[in-house]
Amino acid sequence: MIFDQIFKNSKKIAVVFSSNTLLKKNIGKFIDNFDEVIRFNRAPTLGYEKYIGRRTTLRVINNGVFQNIMPHPNQDWTIDINFINKLKNTKILVVSP
């Protein structure tokens, strides 16, 4: 399995999903203490470090994020078209059909 190769030396892995519930807890330092921190798509960390930590070692993204496809017009999103280029020290796993 691909995760066996990516995380072969890791013992503690945090999988962090996007959720407003996380903003009710100050667990950023707890999350950052894991060997690996997995986040999804464009889930932001900047400005939320106190709640969700600052580290991301693997970013799992879909092909829409990878190709910088704009969200549905009814969604009020502003996206950073350079999101992928700005990821530093992060492995990227693209999940695509």
Side-chain angles (χ1 to χ4, degrees):
M1 184 173 191
I2 193 165
F3 290 109
D4 292 338
Q5 297 169 9
I6 295 172
F7 301 129
K8 63 183 173 185
N9 296 322
S10 303
K11 298 196 185 314
K12 299 184 326 178
I13 300 171
V15 180
V16 184
F17 293 92
S18 300
S19 172
N20 287 338
T21 303
L22 291 172
L23 300 178
K24 297 175 184 172
K25 303 179 185 286
N26 295 334
I27 58 172
K29 289 181 183 178
F30 175 75
I31 291 171
D32 283 343
N33 281 321
F34 281 78
D35 297 326
E36 303 286 346
V37 180
I38 302 171
R39 299 183 195 274
F40 296 86
N41 291 319
R42 289 186 179 96
T45 55
L46 188 62
Y48 301 100
E49 297 90 346
K50 170 178 158 181
Y51 307 102
I52 60 167
R54 55 180 83 244
R55 291 183 60 239
T56 303
T57 57
L58 175 66
R59 180 70 66 158
V60 180
I61 61 174
N62 61 38
N63 60 324
V65 172
F66 185 72
Q67 296 173 353
N68 283 319
I69 295 173
M70 295 299 290
H72 190 276
N74 292 338
Q75 291 176 323
D76 185 25
W77 288 18
T78 28
I79 66 166
D80 180 357
I81 60 170
N82 293 310
F83 175 78
I84 299 297
N85 295 332
K86 291 180 180 178
L87 294 177
K88 304 288 185 213
N89 301 317
T90 303
K91 300 172 196 98
I92 301 171
L93 174 62
V94 180
V95 179
S96 179

